[in-house]
Amino acid sequence: DEGHKSTGAANLARSLCALGRFDEAEPFADMARRIAAEDDLASQVTGRCAGALVLASRGHFEEAIALAREAVDLFAEAENPMTAGDAWMDLATVYQVAGQNAAAADAAREALGFFERKGVRPAIARTQAFLGDLGWRRHT
């Protein structure tokens, strides 16, 4: 059951990244991208996001940004705002780690739009906090 295996590996990789355990996350991110079907967007996107976070943690910013952009582009036309928002937030995180705060804020605002459309309050709050840390304030 490679479909579930790739999704599980991708989700585990992203969770390990959230814990700062990038060395442990890397093989799961690679596995997710390698075994997922091309049209398995959940696994492909999440695997790329986790891979980008691993690369960013090692200072490989150009590669990390490119991989995170691939993930965002894969979900450009998808109908799953939560996963799209997560991909945008991972891109924002990669930009922030790379010291590109303006790009990080732009990506986080994209994520915020997806989360608001879906109505996911914890994700909205987390994204607003991220933007606040970058010094961005919403003008109402």
Side-chain angles (χ1 to χ4, degrees), residues 94-117:
V94 168
Y95 277 131
Q96 181 191 34
V97 172
Q100 298 181 30
N101 288 348
D106 289 343
R109 284 192 295 271
E110 288 289 334
L112 184 60
F114 284 105
F115 296 144
E116 287 175 338
R117 185 170 54 158

Side-chain angles (χ1 to χ4, degrees), residues 80-105:
N80 186 333
M82 191 64 199
T83 304
D86 285 340
W88 277 102
M89 273 309 298
D90 287 338
L91 177 60
T93 301
V94 168
Y95 277 131
Q96 181 191 34
V97 172
Q100 298 181 30
N101 288 348

Side-chain angles (χ1 to χ4, degrees), residues 44-107:
Q44 290 289 350
V45 168
T46 306
R48 280 174 171 74
C49 287
L53 294 168
V54 168
L55 289 167
S57 76
R58 295 180 178 156
H60 302 285
F61 301 126
E62 287 182 31
E63 294 171 68
I65 290 168
L67 193 56
R69 294 271 347 153
E70 279 181 31
V72 166
D73 291 344
L74 280 173
F75 251 108
E77 298 179 25
E79 291 297 321
N80 186 333
M82 191 64 199
T83 304
D86 285 340
W88 277 102
M89 273 309 298
D90 287 338
L91 177 60
T93 301
V94 168
Y95 277 131
Q96 181 191 34
V97 172
Q100 298 181 30
N101 288 348
D106 289 343

